Amino acid sequence: MPSGTDRSTGHSSRQTARERIAAKRAAERAAAERARRRRNRLATGLVVTALVVAAVVVAVVVQSARTDTSGAVTPANTAAGTGGAAFVAGPADAPVTIDVYEDYLCPACRRFEADAGDELARLAAEGTARVRYRPVAILDRLSDDDYSTRAANAAAVVADAAGVEAFLEFADLLFANQPPEGGPGLSDEQLITLAAQAGATGADVEAAIRELRFGDWVERVTDQASQEGLTGTPTVLVDSDPLTTPTAEALLAAVDAASG
Amino acid sequence: MTMLVPWVGTGCRAVLSAVLLIAGVLKLPDPAAAGRAVRAYQLLPEPLVAPIAFGLPVLEIALGLLLLLGVFVRAAAVGAAVLMVVFLAAVVSAWARGLTIDCGCFGSGGQVDPDDTAYLSEIVRDLGLLALAAVLVRRPRSRLALTDRAAPPSDTDTDTDTDTDTVPGDTDAVRN
């Protein structure tokens, strides 16, 4: 049948052939066009990938520089053997070592201090324990004005200028006057007033509180604490073992066990 | 109904890109906190903590932008799906190990009270986002996209899988 049709319509068969050729060329053109588009898309994709990789690298470099605290100035009167991160009460040769990590904005830290603060002071005064207070700032996002960092800086300023006794007094005042989370912290002026109450006065103290002189130090010791495994406050270690619940009862039980 | 199909992809892109952009941007201002959030999972060795904590937000923002604009949607959706699987694995492992941490998905992170963990809702949210990404991997073309457009409604032809992003005034006329 096809051959018969071919003979009888020779003209239209040539036409059909031309159409076939045209269709084939069109298909080739379309294929070439698709290939061209694929190449373009591949090239654009590579460029976009390279841009994303570059942006990630830049971010890592910039954020590393922002978190670099190698230039941090460590305050005076920090405890030996803590990398300049703690202020210590009690004798260095006490049988038990207690580490207390606290953020001055942390309500649970205030409750722990209200519950166990006197016991900590007694253990240190009796020589049963050396208590290493480690201020950290992990709650900056919970105040409008980075209060955690500002308060820890002020505590370092007080310790630096007036010693550990004044630091302990100032820490008590900070917890007694703790602002609620989610709003503004104490102002620099309020911190300066409390510092004076604790025994640290003078233009240099005021300047150091206002200019965050130990701000990099706060960042450094917070990072150090995080690397030591700190994920929240208060964290209380008795001879390196964390209390599961931060209460006076648990503290005394752990100290009894540790001093055997 | 068929009119609405390409808009499903647009919706998926909108939700997924919004979540990725917000999550990425919120992690940028406080890199130290981002590092602590990563460290709190106790999964990565210390040398990897900073690169992940600082690089991840940028990756989230990049994927969010691609999805928002509708460019390389399938690749971006694959990337988002991979991220969600990684996040799911991390959250599930934190839960299984009895850690009591915030996922740190939108900044913050670190330890929370045992009563305040939100692992289940974090997992459900990530599964939902994973599903949106899967839809986009399967059908990357949608409305309101810069390049990965769905065929306009007037086009009744069925080639929805390739070549719908042709430039007007295309080559045939020019070449002949």
Side-chain angles (χ1 to χ4, degrees):
Chain A
M1 280 306 280
S3 60
T5 320
D6 264 338
R7 258 199 305 279
S8 62
T9 60
H11 179 74
S12 73
S13 108
R14 275 198 299 279
Q15 205 170 29
T16 319
R18 270 204 297 277
E19 276 168 8
R20 274 205 301 274
I21 291 166
K24 197 177 163 205
R25 286 206 179 128
E28 281 166 3
R29 274 201 306 276
E33 176 61 17
R34 275 197 297 275
R36 185 186 67 81
R37 235 179 263 143
R38 258 200 305 278
R39 280 196 304 277
N40 280 351
R41 201 170 159 77
L42 184 65
T44 321
L46 288 175
V47 169
V48 169
T49 309
L51 284 176
V52 171
V53 170
V56 167
V57 170
V58 168
V60 171
V61 170
V62 169
Q63 301 287 55
S64 297
R66 282 181 68 199
T67 50
D68 178 26
T69 53
S70 54
V73 182
T74 301
N77 302 317
T78 55
T82 61
F87 303 101
V88 68
D93 59 351
V96 180
T97 299
I98 303 173
D99 290 285
V100 183
Y101 295 85
E102 287 172 325
D103 184 309
Y104 294 117
L105 185 62
C106 141
C109 300
R110 187 195 65 227
R111 286 194 292 275
F112 172 70
E113 282 295 327
D115 187 33
D118 290 347
E119 298 295 346
L120 286 172
R122 185 180 59 78
L123 291 168
E126 287 175 353
T128 312
R130 59 171 175 162
V131 184
R132 303 195 290 203
Y133 292 93
R134 298 168 175 269
V136 292
I138 60 171
L139 300 177
D140 274 338
R141 70 197 146 79
L142 294 181
S143 67
D144 301 339
D145 49 10
D146 291 344
Y147 178 69
S148 293
T149 292
R150 290 173 46 247
N153 169 71
V157 170
V158 170
D160 181 71
V164 173
E165 282 303 316
F167 163 85
L168 295 172
E169 175 74 26
F170 183 68
D172 286 346
L173 289 168
L174 286 179
F175 284 121
N177 294 280
Q178 188 183 63
E181 292 177 329
L186 302 182
S187 67
D188 286 350
E189 280 62 39
Q190 288 170 305
L191 290 172
I192 287 167
T193 305
L194 295 180
Q197 276 183 48
T201 53
D204 193 53
V205 167
E206 295 181 16
I209 287 177
R210 286 211 175 85
E211 74 194 18
L212 277 182
R213 183 171 298 166
F214 299 115
D216 275 358
W217 174 80
V218 173
E219 198 173 326
R220 177 174 79 73
V221 297
T222 302
D223 201 51
Q224 180 184 325
S226 167
Q227 291 184 30
E228 287 163 4
L230 180 85
T231 54
T233 53
T235 291
V236 183
L237 311 179
V238 177
D239 282 352
S240 303
D241 278 335
L243 298 184
T244 45
T245 53
T247 60
E249 195 182 358
L251 174 76
L252 293 177
V255 169
D256 276 350
S259 56
Chain B
M1 270 311 289
T2 48
M3 289 278 291
L4 290 176
V5 169
W7 289 103
V8 172
T10 311
C12 291
R13 278 170 44 220
V15 174
L16 199 52
S17 67
V19 172
L20 284 169
L21 286 171
I22 291 168
V25 167
L26 285 179
K27 291 192 195 90
L28 287 180
D30 193 348
R36 289 197 296 276
V38 170
R39 209 176 272 131
Y41 282 92
Q42 299 172 29
L43 285 172
L44 292 175
E46 186 58 29
L48 287 182
V49 167
I52 297 290
F54 302 161
L56 182 63
V58 177
L59 192 59
E60 288 177 323
I61 291 171
L63 293 177
L65 281 177
L66 290 178
L67 290 170
L68 181 69
L69 297 175
V71 183
F72 294 108
V73 168
R74 179 169 276 158
V78 168
V82 169
L83 276 188
M84 290 310 150
V85 169
V86 171
F87 294 161
L88 277 165
V91 169
V92 167
S93 112
W95 198 3
R97 284 176 293 153
L99 302 182
T100 56
I101 59 173
D102 178 279
C103 72
C105 309
F106 302 94
S108 66
Q111 188 167 320
V112 295
D113 280 347
D115 301 337
D116 291 345
T117 55
Y119 292 125
L120 189 60
S121 64
E122 285 162 3
I123 288 169
V124 168
R125 184 188 59 215
D126 284 353
L127 282 175
L129 294 173
L130 180 62
L132 297 186
V135 169
L136 287 172
V137 172
R138 199 170 150 70
R139 293 179 165 274
R141 299 189 176 278
S142 59
R143 296 266 184 271
L144 300 181
L146 215 53
T147 63
D148 293 327
R149 281 190 298 274
S154 56
D155 275 9
T156 48
D157 64 356
T158 52
D159 74 334
T160 47
D161 51 347
T162 52
D163 289 346
T164 44
D165 54 347
T166 44
V167 182
D170 218 357
T171 47
D172 284 333
V174 181
R175 279 201 201 146
N176 285 346

